[in-house]
Amino acid sequence: MKGVIVPLVTPFNEDYSIDLQALEEHINFLQKAGVHGIFINATTGEFTSLSFEEKKFLAEKGRELVTSTAYLVGTASTNTFEVVELTKHAQDIGADYVVIAPPYYCPLNDEALFHHYSLVAEKTDIPIILYNIPSCANPLSVPLIKKLAMEYSNIAGIKETIDSINHIRDVILEVKGERKDFKVFTGLDQHFLNTLILGGDGGIMACANFAPELHLALYKAFREKKFEEAVEYAKKLAKLSRIYNIALSFGSAIKIAMSIRGFSIKPILRPPYKMDGEDVREKIRELLESLGLVP
């Protein structure tokens, strides 16, 4: 698995129920656009606001709908046994990968985090993508990532949502350098090109929900060694990533941008998340206009 992977938003109705029609429309749109993977129950999908049964339901629904690209399911929880059960469920329904962020809220050292992931890796066979997001959860150090990758063959890669080129460099050199099949993805749109240049495999990036054409064009240009073209798209993604500085949350930024671009997904977040107001919407519209993404 390489290329552009989309951490899917979860569409909601006004009563906060899951909007299945919008979900199906969006997955079909992304598959037609040609993305290389679709990731359900992601951070962008507000997985912390979903019940245990809803996570399973969405995983099953996504498996029905995703037919032409890699299918990834988020199975993170602060409860290790829930992670094991959700990961087994994803395996049973035929997902291609699971993506597991570390436990949040409770501070854990590398030894505890190794134990958490090892319990999951030993009880399941599905390929596991680690998910390093230190702004939201316990950080995964390079030595810990390497130890997990070398100990468990089903720990297949990592999503790095970290604003550090040096950290990504070290993971690529020290982990992928030792284990060639280990996949390294950035979680930040602005780090897509430099991750590829360093030897990474792609990106799992939220803005690809509403502007996958930019990410796909960059990846295609890079693969075809059209580096000047790739740099121009990287500049656009760097500017687009400022959307996260404008809004209160990933979810608000992405759902407002989708609304502005005409997607059927409603600008609704489940509490405790809250949608931004008209002033933020106008700033996001101006940003999208400056990149030619809206008329």
Side-chain angles (χ1 to χ4, degrees), residues 55-95:
K55 290 175 189 175
K56 285 185 171 182
F57 172 75
L58 278 167
E60 291 166 9
K61 193 67 184 173
R63 179 65 289 178
E64 290 174 25
L65 297 170
V66 177
T67 55
S68 63
T69 190
Y71 183 54
L72 301 81
V73 175
T75 60
S77 170
T78 52
N79 180 329
T80 303
F81 301 111
E82 272 193 8
V83 179
V84 171
E85 187 173 339
L86 287 169
T87 302
K88 283 181 175 177
H89 175 259
Q91 178 176 298
D92 290 344
I93 65 172

Side-chain angles (χ1 to χ4, degrees), residues 227-264:
F227 297 124
E228 287 186 15
E229 189 177 325
V231 167
E232 288 308 306
Y233 282 110
K235 288 178 181 177
K236 289 183 177 183
L237 287 182
K239 187 173 183 181
L240 185 61
S241 70
R242 297 184 74 181
I243 195 171
Y244 303 128
N245 303 117
I246 298 172
L248 283 168
S249 66
F250 283 150
S252 179
I254 301 305
K255 284 185 173 177
I256 287 172
M258 294 182 79
S259 172
I260 291 169
R261 288 207 82 191
F263 288 86
S264 63

Side-chain angles (χ1 to χ4, degrees), residues 155-168:
I155 292 183
I158 190 163
K159 174 184 177 181
E160 288 285 0
T161 304
I162 183 169
D163 195 12
S164 170
I165 294 173
N166 288 347
H167 175 88
I168 294 170

